[in-house]
Amino acid sequence: MADVDASKVVVDGSPDELPVSTSSWNPLRRAFRPYVSFSPSTVNASESSSTIATLRVIVKKPLVARLTEGIVETYQICNPTLKYSEALNPKHFLTNPSTGVLNDGYDNANSDLILHVNFELVNFERKRRYTVKDILGQGTFGQVAKCWDLETNCYVAVKIIKNQPAYYRQAVVEVSILHMLNQKFNPDDKHHIVRTLDYFVFQRHLCISFEMLGSNLYELIKMNHFKGFSLSIVQMFSKQILHALIVMKDAGIIHCDMKPENILISTSVKPTEIKVIDFGSACMEGRTVYSYIQSRYYRSPEVVLGYPYTASIDMWSFGCIVAELFLGLPLFPGASEYDLLKRMVQILGGQPPDNLLRDSKNTGKFFKHVRSIYHLEHDATSEELISAYQVLTEDEYEARESKRPSIGKNYFNHVKLEDIIANYPYRKNLPEEEISKESLTRLALVDFLRGLVEFDPGKRWSPLQASGHPFVTGEPFRCPYQPSHETPRIPVIYTITVDHNPGGGHWLAAGLSPQVSSVNYYLSLSSPHFQKVPMSYGRNYGSLGSHGSYNDSTGFVSSYGSYSDINSMHAYNSPVGPCGFNMHVHVGGQLLGSSPDARYRSQLSHGTGFDVSPFGGVGPMSLGASPSQFTPPSSQMHFSSASPGKHGPTSPERSSSRGILLGKAAAIGQYNKCWGYPTMCMQPYGSASERGPGFCANGMSCIHSDAQFQGHGAHSVISSSSHSNWKQQMGVGNGLSLNLTSANQKSYPAHSVDNSRVVCAHSLEIPCDKPEGSSSLPDPADWDPNYSDESLLQEDTAEFNSLNSEFTSCVCLGEPSDASTLTSKTGRYGHGHNQANPSSKFLSSNESLLFFASGGLAYSLTESSPSTSHDVKDIINMARQCIHVTTEQILTHLPMLCLAIVCHGCI
Ligand SMILES: Nc1ncnc2c1ncn2[C@@H]1O[C@H](COP(=O)(O)OP(=O)(O)OP(=O)(O)O)[C@@H](O)[C@H]1O
């Protein structure tokens, strides 16, 4: 903001009164005037009042602005022949490094588009130009640039995604999720979620334009010298974040990266508003894939422990954010996951419940057994269940993991949450009565936090429950808050599926034009990574016909079909546009045929092209294929193992062959998400015409349908929608009958830690002189907000490989589904791969799968555009681009590529 120099006033006089210089230099009359001094004491009253009436304030601009504004005009006055052109200026690079090494020199070595001031980003489809002015942030997925939108004459923030398939795909998911949130759930922009304005591909980079926002909450805390905000501000921000969380929960979206850095102040509105940004890690509830998510300080215990997670992980992060807003420091600044867990246990008292620990993948990394996990013991005095688990000591951890865990500093002078909050210093000079008032609000805050940073995700409050807390509503806090019971419901009411399938899918489905609903544009040729495929490929997904939408050969206008079954209406936006990405919005009911997590799908479906893809655009298609094959939503909570064929993936029989993993998988598919792979599941039950040519038409899936089901199940291991349900179902698959749901199981008090909730009687101590956290003010360099970045796109390898091997097995045309054969086949590609050694001859199974898939894609491209006369070399190159393999690897896997081509040719 320009500062006002109130001391510098001039008397507004008529120019005529000003002396005219008689020298050769003739200054501008209004710019230069003689100084007229005046002093109130030296002028009489009437003079003074008339003078004051003509006083005006000079707004002093920054010096640089004053010296340079209009300098071109000034120079041109000096030298009328001067022809200034901005284009001739040396480039002021904004991207670092700025050496172009990739993408014909457009990208640097990190696959970031090299930006400089006044660089133009262009949406050619909509003829919209954005002039880059500055860099706002650099993140995992690319850069965010401050741009001038030449159409609206406003600044916007454009996120320019790295030119790499994995990032690209994930960004597509981000666009689709934001689109859904904006359009369906937040059309009036009242729920504190950032708005997308445009998206397009420029120089092989997906660009997403957002409304321009201001500083993030971390920056605000930092500006405040890591001192917390007043409780009224914390309350205001909490309320707004909860708004966003309620909407996300309703939409079935898990943000997966809630942290102060991802909450920005909106500069355009008064009073101050905040908005949640960065849906780059978000996923659909019930279709979680990644196990390594959330930034460390805000990571929930179930994610650390590797337990199936739900939207309640965002509530944990939210609790951490609220505490940090008040304290100015992160509540759990764990330097490692071990440190993080230790801090949680110490600060909160207690530990995750045994049922969670029993079924988490990483429990053994952090906990040891101290008694039998199957013989539950009660504490003699408290009647509470005694936990069978105990956190490892640092030495024990080191012994197990062969490395000492990193342990961070302690910033608080107290250990327990109640004490940390109560003893946080009060603002100086606060009157006594204000202190006692605030102490009550602090009690409310502790109670609020207790409901959020609750170890048991089943007991953790939902956003709606939390929003009724007196801390948020401002009602007087009298006793621990008991939220009203929330009816368990289908987690995904509105659902999108994101199909990245060039063969059958299409770009951003009908209406996926952010906030330009009337302009139904699509991104033709907009996917640099997934090439355009003619509409005719849609026929591969025969059931689409049922929606009556894919028949539209012109395709560029949104057609809207609907499908209804007994209990629900599945509105279905048919995809339009020719390439790779569908968004299907299912309103009012669960998407039974939904495909798995989009990110997972995206890993595998690209270019599969031969319709055995368990992912490729099949979820919604399955709905159209044969409605009768779907469990009506009313049966959502139950698995009918009695109809294994109909409910294929849920069959315990199928799953048992895979052991516990699949047992869980089968069971937790309570919402039948596995039906997202209907090519296999449904094949035996629909006629060829019903299924359409894309459905098992090649027969290969029939041979290995069991394996397919298992593969789906394996995937679903991590798509549990609620751990309690998952628990319940687990017995189905593994033969254990562990009837321990979070609802009926108490949490266990940790050894020697008090797990009691705060009660009103809790007395607040008067602040100590030494502020909490002042013992050693944290160095922001200690912060590691981007902890999850490096691994954000890592899949849960166990599930991925399991699915992968199943998938690979399914493309073994005509071969028996003998497990050993399959193992040896997939095993071959599973060994020897070393990412650090690109010259490695072998591909990992993931890569070989992609390689295989890309072969199919390449072939379909060749077929679809014969005029471009691709030869085998092109195909190999295309396949190669898909996974960046070396020539040696290609040669090693050439037979596989050929097989892919043959497979595709068979369809
Ligand atoms: N709409 C916006 N307005 C202003 N600044 C923004 C906006 N969106 C993002 N930014 C800035 O860009 C940074 C990176 O954005 P974003 O978090 O979406 O990208 P990312 O690659 O996912 O980052 P990260 O790796 O930190 O998760 C943000 O921290 C913020 O400073």
Side-chain angles (χ1 to χ4, degrees):
M1 199 177 75
D3 29 301
V4 176
D5 188 359
S7 64
K8 193 174 168 94
V9 289
V10 296
V11 180
D12 213 6
S14 154
D16 301 334
E17 293 163 8
L18 296 174
V20 177
S21 166
T22 49
S23 71
S24 57
W25 178 63
N26 196 2
L28 293 173
R29 287 160 64 98
R30 287 198 67 86
F32 299 92
R33 314 174 175 182
Y35 174 71
V36 181
S37 78
F38 85 97
S39 146
S41 57
T42 57
V43 288
N44 62 38
S46 63
E47 269 181 328
S48 165
S49 62
S50 70
T51 308
I52 286 166
T54 58
L55 287 184
R56 61 193 167 89
V57 174
I58 303 282
V59 177
K60 207 168 90 179
K61 286 189 174 172
L63 183 66
V64 174
R66 279 181 285 150
L67 288 175
T68 55
E69 227 171 47
I71 199 163
V72 174
E73 290 74 25
T74 308
Y75 281 157
Q76 273 163 349
I77 291 169
C78 299
N79 175 9
T81 60
L82 177 79
K83 294 271 178 293
Y84 172 75
S85 161
E86 241 178 28
L88 296 175
N89 286 346
K91 282 178 187 163
H92 175 193
F93 287 106
L94 300 167
T95 308
N96 188 21
S98 58
T99 316
V101 288
L102 299 170
N103 192 17
D104 296 333
Y106 284 106
D107 298 353
N108 66 15
N110 304 330
S111 302
D112 274 319
L113 184 64
I114 299 167
L115 301 174
H116 57 80
V117 176
N118 292 326
F119 184 96
E120 277 215 337
L121 298 165
V122 188
N123 177 351
F124 290 104
E125 285 295 324
R126 299 181 59 210
K127 299 184 177 55
R128 209 163 162 171
R129 292 172 176 274
Y130 302 89
T131 312
V132 174
K133 292 293 174 191
D134 206 350
I135 278 283
L136 293 168
Q138 201 135 13
T140 329
F141 291 96
Q143 315 164 79
V144 181
K146 178 180 179 179
C147 297
W148 183 253
D149 181 346
L150 293 165
E151 188 174 299
T152 58
N153 283 335
C154 285
Y155 276 111
V156 292
V158 181
K159 191 166 179 175
I160 305 145
I161 305 299
K162 280 181 199 280
N163 179 9
Q164 280 181 13
Y167 293 114
Y168 180 91
R169 283 189 290 258
Q170 188 51 35
V172 167
V173 175
E174 180 175 4
V175 173
S176 66
I177 283 178
L178 272 166
H179 174 80
M180 179 183 69
L181 287 173
N182 283 174
Q183 301 293 306
K184 304 278 170 201
F185 291 88
N186 188 21
D188 303 328
D189 192 14
K190 286 186 178 152
H191 298 287
H192 308 282
I193 292 173
V194 69
R195 295 197 83 75
T196 46
L197 306 170
D198 191 13
Y199 51 84
F200 53 95
V201 173
F202 180 75
Q203 301 292 6
R204 297 175 63 86
H205 291 265
L206 179 58
C207 303
I208 314 168
S209 147
F210 295 99
E211 64 176 310
M212 181 73 193
L213 298 169
S215 306
N216 65 48
L217 291 189
Y218 173 73
E219 284 162 350
L220 279 195
I221 294 172
K222 196 169 159 187
M223 279 183 234
N224 208 25
H225 307 288
F226 298 102
K227 288 194 208 106
F229 298 124
S230 72
L231 279 168
S232 56
I233 292 180
V234 178
Q235 185 210 34
M236 179 186 75
F237 285 161
S238 303
K239 209 174 188 167
Q240 296 187 11
I241 301 168
L242 272 174
H243 267 262
L245 286 167
I246 288 171
V247 166
M248 285 185 241
K249 172 103 174 116
D250 278 352
I253 300 292
I254 315 179
H255 185 282
C256 293
D257 198 17
M258 290 293 290
K259 58 181 177 182
E261 288 86 339
N262 283 339
I263 299 166
L264 269 54
I265 305 281
S266 177
T267 45
S268 59
V269 286
K270 294 267 180 308
T272 310
E273 238 193 46
I274 50 172
K275 295 226 171 172
V276 175
I277 64 157
D278 193 4
F279 286 76
S281 315
C283 65
M284 300 298 296
E285 203 174 12
R287 292 184 219 157
T288 56
V289 170
Y290 297 91
S291 57
Y292 203 57
I293 47 166
Q294 300 188 290
S295 294
R296 196 196 304 132
Y297 299 171
Y298 312 92
R299 192 173 298 157
S300 59
E302 61 266 36
V303 168
V304 174
L305 291 165
Y307 188 78
Y309 57 89
T310 67
S312 65
I313 63 168
D314 286 340
M315 291 306 284
W316 176 280
S317 308
F318 170 59
C320 299
I321 295 169
V322 174
E324 187 168 339
L325 289 175
F326 177 70
L327 298 169
L329 303 171
L331 186 60
F332 306 120
S336 60
E337 288 205 316
Y338 173 83
D339 188 27
L340 183 68
L341 260 181
K342 265 293 231 321
R343 284 171 192 261
M344 290 175 185
V345 169
Q346 280 167 358
I347 292 176
L348 300 178
Q351 62 183 38
D354 274 24
N355 62 335
L356 191 150
L357 290 172
R358 194 183 297 117
D359 300 323
S360 298
K361 277 189 310 187
N362 309 329
T363 301
K365 203 172 158 191
F366 307 106
F367 286 86
K368 64 184 173 197
H369 288 132
V370 285
R371 47 183 62 82
S372 163
I373 58 168
Y374 297 112
H375 290 101
L376 307 177
E377 290 175 36
H378 285 82
D379 186 281
T381 48
S382 68
E383 285 293 301
E384 296 233 3
L385 286 168
I386 303 172
S387 176
Y389 297 88
Q390 202 173 343
V391 189
L392 298 178
T393 63
E394 279 176 51
D395 291 337
E396 286 166 343
Y397 179 93
E398 186 179 10
R400 281 196 190 179
E401 298 291 315
S402 310
K403 65 170 184 207
R404 198 132 189 103
S406 304
I407 304 291
K409 291 181 218 164
N410 272 332
Y411 297 111
F412 303 114
N413 297 323
H414 295 82
V415 176
K416 291 281 157 54
L417 179 69
E418 286 73 12
D419 298 333
I420 294 172
I421 301 285
N423 291 295
Y424 189 77
Y426 286 75
R427 265 171 299 143
K428 280 193 189 122
N429 309 324
L430 210 59
E432 273 301 310
E433 63 195 63
E434 286 297 315
I435 289 181
S436 50
K437 212 167 131 192
E438 184 172 324
S439 68
L440 259 184
T441 317
R442 288 187 183 201
L443 279 180
L445 173 63
V446 172
D447 190 65
F448 184 57
L449 292 175
R450 280 278 171 192
L452 304 174
V453 283
E454 154 67 56
F455 277 117
D456 188 340
K459 290 181 182 166
R460 203 173 297 148
W461 295 338
S462 72
L464 205 60
Q465 287 176 322
S467 64
H469 193 280
F471 178 73
V472 178
T473 60
E475 291 163 44
F477 175 71
R478 297 206 174 85
C479 52
Y481 174 65
Q482 292 295 335
S484 53
H485 184 67
E486 219 169 68
T487 321
R489 60 193 179 89
I490 304 169
V492 182
I493 291 179
Y494 285 68
T495 282
I496 57 159
T497 56
V498 182
D499 299 340
H500 304 270
N501 194 308
H506 300 278
W507 259 104
L508 313 172
L512 189 59
S513 45
Q515 302 187 344
V516 238
S517 44
S518 58
V519 187
N520 189 11
Y521 76 102
Y522 72 100
L523 301 183
S524 70
L525 289 176
S526 51
S527 164
H529 304 288
F530 315 112
Q531 311 289 314
K532 182 173 174 174
V533 174
M535 291 293 286
S536 62
Y537 266 70
R539 75 185 157 75
N540 282 344
Y541 300 84
S543 61
L544 283 173
S546 314
H547 297 285
S549 54
Y550 275 72
N551 301 331
D552 179 3
S553 57
T554 54
F556 301 141
V557 180
S558 164
S559 63
Y560 190 85
S562 68
Y563 158 77
S564 66
D565 68 9
I566 303 164
N567 291 295
S568 65
M569 169 69 79
H570 299 275
Y572 170 62
N573 282 321
S574 78
V576 291
C579 186
F581 176 85
N582 297 338
M583 187 180 104
H584 311 281
V585 181
H586 295 260
V587 185
Q590 186 196 358
L591 175 61
L592 292 172
S594 60
S595 48
D597 182 278
R599 281 181 290 189
Y600 210 112
R601 292 151 52 85
S602 68
Q603 289 293 331
L604 296 172
S605 65
H606 284 288
T608 49
F610 29 64
D611 299 324
V612 295
S613 160
F615 309 107
V618 286
M621 291 71 166
S622 63
L623 286 171
S626 171
S628 62
Q629 295 176 51
F630 294 93
T631 308
S634 56
S635 63
Q636 62 188 300
M637 301 305 283
H638 308 287
F639 265 116
S640 171
S641 56
S643 52
K646 195 170 178 181
H647 305 279
T650 68
S651 161
E653 266 175 38
R654 294 173 208 273
S655 49
S656 60
S657 66
R658 298 273 309 196
I660 189 163
L661 193 65
L662 270 171
K664 289 177 190 173
I668 62 170
Q670 61 165 351
Y671 300 111
N672 289 356
K673 288 165 207 86
C674 305
W675 294 2
Y677 320 115
T679 25
M680 308 309 157
C681 311
M682 299 189 174
Q683 190 276 336
Y685 301 96
S687 68
S689 59
E690 269 179 313
R691 296 192 303 271
F695 275 71
C696 306
N698 53 27
M700 66 177 96
S701 56
C702 309
I703 298 168
H704 300 293
S705 56
D706 272 9
Q708 279 280 337
F709 290 138
Q710 291 167 4
H712 308 153
H715 169 70
S716 296
V717 164
I718 43 174
S719 18
S720 162
S721 54
S722 118
H723 84 277
S724 53
N725 295 323
W726 180 74
K727 281 286 313 158
Q728 244 167 357
Q729 302 287 349
M730 199 181 131
V732 179
N734 62 9
L736 288 171
S737 186
L738 302 173
N739 192 19
L740 297 171
T741 67
S742 63
N744 63 16
Q745 186 164 18
K746 293 180 185 175
S747 64
Y748 306 91
H751 303 272
S752 72
V753 241
D754 174 21
N755 195 24
S756 58
R757 294 280 301 271
V758 61
V759 288
C760 287
H762 184 96
S763 65
L764 281 169
E765 289 168 35
I766 298 300
C768 53
D769 289 343
K770 198 172 160 215
E772 288 292 349
S774 68
S775 52
S776 56
L777 198 69
D779 175 1
D782 288 350
W783 262 224
D784 186 9
N786 297 320
Y787 176 76
S788 65
D789 292 355
E790 72 273 15
S791 311
L792 216 53
L793 291 175
Q794 282 176 9
E795 304 86 11
D796 190 322
T797 39
E799 279 78 8
F800 194 98
N801 287 339
S802 132
L803 173 66
N804 189 3
S805 65
E806 295 303 342
F807 179 78
T808 313
S809 75
C810 291
V811 292
C812 298
L813 258 178
E815 287 191 22
S817 59
D818 172 61
S820 59
T821 318
L822 296 178
T823 316
S824 62
K825 265 177 194 302
T826 52
R828 192 181 146 219
Y829 299 104
H831 298 307
H833 172 65
N834 175 5
Q835 263 196 331
N837 173 15
S839 66
S840 165
K841 222 175 168 186
F842 297 104
L843 300 171
S844 72
S845 49
N846 290 356
E847 284 175 333
S848 56
L849 179 68
L850 275 172
F851 187 77
F852 194 101
S854 57
L857 165 66
Y859 184 79
S860 47
L861 289 173
T862 319
E863 249 207 337
S864 65
S865 46
S867 58
T868 51
S869 67
H870 294 287
D871 57 18
V872 173
K873 209 170 127 210
D874 286 343
I875 295 172
I876 290 175
N877 276 335
M878 279 186 247
R880 193 174 160 174
Q881 277 175 24
C882 283
I883 54 168
H884 304 290
V885 290
T886 63
T887 309
E888 194 192 359
Q889 283 171 330
I890 285 182
L891 291 175
T892 310
H893 294 277
L894 199 57
M896 196 175 173
L897 179 62
C898 294
L899 179 61
I901 295 167
V902 170
C903 287
H904 190 82
C906 292
I907 295 165

